[in-house]
Amino acid sequence: MTATTTLDLGPQTRILTALVAGVRDEQLADGTPCPDYAVRHMLGHLYGLATAFRDAARKDLGVTTDTSPEAAVPDIGPGWREQLPEVLDELADAWRDPAAWTGMTRAGGVDLPGAVAGAVVADELVIHGWDLARATGQEYDPDPDALRAAYGFLLAAADDPDRGIFGPVVPVPDDAPLLDRALGLSGRDPGWKP
């Protein structure tokens, strides 16, 4: 599997922070492109993955990096509007350390090379950014570098017979925008609407 060697996740986490700020309280129960997740669950998932991958970058392995994302449907608690942007900043900062991209680490209970973990978190931030934007009616233009990393990761994963958490690929024209092609590889219909 091809993996990014380094990537500044800061531009993508800032985009997500802006999306989080745009979520209205009355939207928290609305559906998302992930059938089992309402907006509140997507926000909870983003918080959990940001925490886990922050710790994975730091090689601070423990409960946050050992818990499978399928363990429970995530949710948000009080203070999420302040806490989620804070942990997204910490995530970006942790991945700025070149050591994050080397050696082995763990996330979601899976041991993996640091460079692969970096590609996975880029994918999570890009794809779930789209999920959140689409579910809440916000514009979305992901960071181009993070999008390329996510697409590369998803393209490699599409060739893997054990696709894990990804659903079946949704066919998207070869000349579609890169985001749409990445969404298709992630099992999402780029035309999804609430």
Side-chain angles (χ1 to χ4, degrees):
M1 176 180 296
T2 305
T4 302
T5 53
T6 59
L7 170 68
D8 182 3
L9 296 172
Q12 183 61 29
T13 60
R14 284 190 294 277
I15 290 166
L16 273 169
T17 294
L19 289 172
V20 168
V23 175
R24 299 185 317 274
D25 288 343
E26 63 269 19
Q27 293 177 311
L28 293 175
D30 291 353
T32 71
C34 297
D36 295 334
Y37 282 14
V39 169
R40 66 182 304 113
H41 304 127
M42 181 59 62
L43 292 165
H45 179 63
L46 284 166
Y47 182 84
L49 77 86
T51 303
F53 280 95
R54 174 202 64 199
D55 294 349
R58 295 173 177 171
K59 311 293 197 279
D60 183 12
L61 309 182
V63 174
T64 61
T65 60
D66 289 346
T67 304
S68 167
E70 285 89 31
V73 174
D75 205 345
I76 53 171
W80 64 272
R81 288 190 183 277
E82 296 78 30
Q83 293 167 357
L84 183 50
E86 182 178 301
V87 77
L88 286 168
D89 283 346
E90 293 170 356
L91 168 74
D93 188 56
W95 283 97
R96 288 187 184 107
D97 182 348
W101 300 86
T102 62
M104 294 295 289
T105 192
R106 184 179 315 124
V110 177
D111 292 324
L112 64 169
V116 173
V120 171
V121 73
D123 166 63
E124 293 279 332
L125 295 172
V126 168
I127 299 301
H128 290 318
W130 179 84
D131 291 334
L132 185 60
R134 190 53 63 104
T136 58
Q138 298 184 66
E139 293 297 316
Y140 183 59
D141 188 18
D143 171 62
D145 292 335
L147 175 56
R148 282 190 292 276
Y151 179 76
F153 172 75
L154 288 163
L155 193 59
D159 292 333
D160 184 347
D162 179 21
R163 289 184 44 80
I165 61 171
F166 302 119
V169 171
V170 173
V172 175
D174 291 341
D175 62 349
L178 188 59
L179 177 58
D180 288 0
R181 288 181 280 149
L183 292 168
L185 289 172
S186 76
R188 286 161 174 78
D189 175 0
W192 185 92
K193 293 185 185 333

